[in-house]
Amino acid sequence: MADPETSQEPHPHGDGLNNGRRKRRARPWHRVIGLLTALPLLWVVITGAILNHTVDWKLDQRMVHHPWVMKAYGMNPVGEPEVVTVGSHRIAAWDGLIFMNGAPIEISGDLLGAVEDAGGVAVVTTSNVLRLDGDGAQVELIGSESLPTTPLTGVRRDQDRVFLRNKDGWHEVMDDWLDFSESQSTGKAQVLRQLPDGAERRILYKAWANGGLPASRILLDLHTGHFLGDFGRYFNDLMTLATIVLCVTGVILFFRTPRRAR
């Protein structure tokens, strides 16, 4: 007869005890990780489902230009918008772009002002003069080679005469902007005023952002975590790891030995 103290036979309930231990270890991890990953996984599922209908819902054509969204993409204009009124037209400048009645116009340099010009508007910057008709269509772009020495520093209109200023002083604009004569005038240059918050400012903001970003682009970045930059990518990696652990602990709990069997 085998000595009971030296017997090597396995305990009849050994496997059940081991399964119970695995179960007790896996269950709390499964619960905690499940709670932590529930909301992120739900977000990924919802944004993925919406992206599947990008064409149906025309998400690639819907533009988003809310300031906080633009700021997240580093697309906020610097400084404050400045504006000048010429007749019924509004000329504005904001962070390198110049606008007429809320629409961008093609001209380089810093905005100095604008004056009435043959039924239209002449927009003056430090390096160019853009002549526009009453409808905002370009008539002529006068470059620095045809102007008094640039950079220009000011513009003003006295009655029917237009004057441009540079480091040498004021210059009177002759007919059709073909010639300029030095002037002893000592008048003050036109002054731009800051545009307060309101509907016009929001229109300029949208124009500056070129309409904004497609909703589909923003949803895709939210889906992948890129919207939050490096934090979003690392958080997405963490959620991927947590999902793997959640699956493993779920499998362990699924294949545990039932209590009745033990």
Side-chain angles (χ1 to χ4, degrees):
M1 178 179 296
D3 188 349
E5 295 183 358
T6 59
S7 175
Q8 300 299 317
E9 292 183 6
H11 193 282
H13 301 294
D15 291 340
L17 291 174
N18 290 333
N19 285 334
R21 294 191 187 98
R22 285 196 297 269
K23 170 188 171 184
R24 286 192 295 272
R25 287 195 298 266
R27 178 176 293 171
W29 280 104
H30 189 77
R31 288 176 177 173
V32 172
I33 295 176
L35 289 174
L36 292 176
T37 58
L39 288 178
L41 287 177
L42 185 62
W43 179 256
V44 170
V45 170
I46 292 175
T47 53
I50 296 175
L51 284 171
N52 284 336
H53 297 278
T54 296
V55 177
D56 299 333
W57 297 339
K58 298 180 180 180
L59 298 178
D60 53 340
Q61 301 176 24
R62 298 178 182 272
M63 306 302 288
V64 178
H65 57 272
H66 295 293
W68 68 270
V69 176
M70 295 293 98
K71 184 177 181 180
Y73 282 90
M75 295 178 62
N76 261 3
V78 177
E80 294 294 324
E82 296 181 316
V83 64
V84 61
T85 302
V86 180
S88 60
H89 302 291
R90 300 273 282 180
I91 314 301
W94 200 357
D95 193 14
L97 294 183
I98 299 176
F99 310 86
M100 179 175 178
N101 300 329
I105 55 178
E106 295 294 331
I107 183 172
S108 60
D110 297 329
L111 180 65
L112 298 176
V115 294
E116 294 182 1
D117 175 45
V121 178
V123 180
V124 181
T125 70
T126 52
S127 57
N128 294 275
V129 173
L130 178 63
R131 302 178 68 195
L132 305 167
D133 63 19
D135 297 325
Q138 179 173 326
V139 175
E140 179 184 16
L141 177 63
I142 305 174
S144 57
E145 66 279 357
S146 301
L147 294 170
T149 304
T150 57
L152 301 177
T153 59
V155 59
R156 82 174 197 275
R157 184 181 181 90
D158 285 343
Q159 298 179 353
D160 294 331
R161 299 182 300 169
V162 176
F163 296 87
L164 300 178
R165 187 180 65 189
N166 63 6
K167 64 182 180 62
D168 299 320
W170 287 102
H171 301 263
E172 183 179 352
V173 178
M174 309 308 289
D175 293 341
D176 293 328
W177 296 77
L178 296 176
D179 295 301
F180 305 88
S181 64
E182 293 187 4
S183 172
Q184 300 300 318
S185 174
T186 58
K188 293 183 179 180
Q190 190 177 61
V191 177
L192 305 177
R193 67 178 184 85
Q194 287 193 356
L195 185 65
D197 193 13
E200 185 177 0
R201 184 187 178 104
R202 290 191 289 273
I203 291 173
L204 287 182
Y205 185 93
K206 183 178 179 180
W208 185 91
N210 196 26
L213 291 169
S216 57
R217 161 71 185 280
I218 298 173
L219 278 170
L220 180 61
D221 289 341
L222 288 171
H223 181 74
T224 59
H226 291 168
F227 185 82
L228 299 176
D230 291 338
F231 173 80
R233 290 192 291 272
Y234 292 135
F235 184 76
N236 196 39
D237 293 340
L238 180 61
M239 288 301 101
T240 300
L241 179 61
T243 303
I244 295 173
V245 176
L246 188 65
C247 293
V248 171
T249 55
V251 169
I252 293 174
L253 292 173
F254 180 79
F255 286 103
R256 72 181 186 274
T257 304
R259 289 184 177 180
R260 288 185 179 180
R262 291 200 301 272

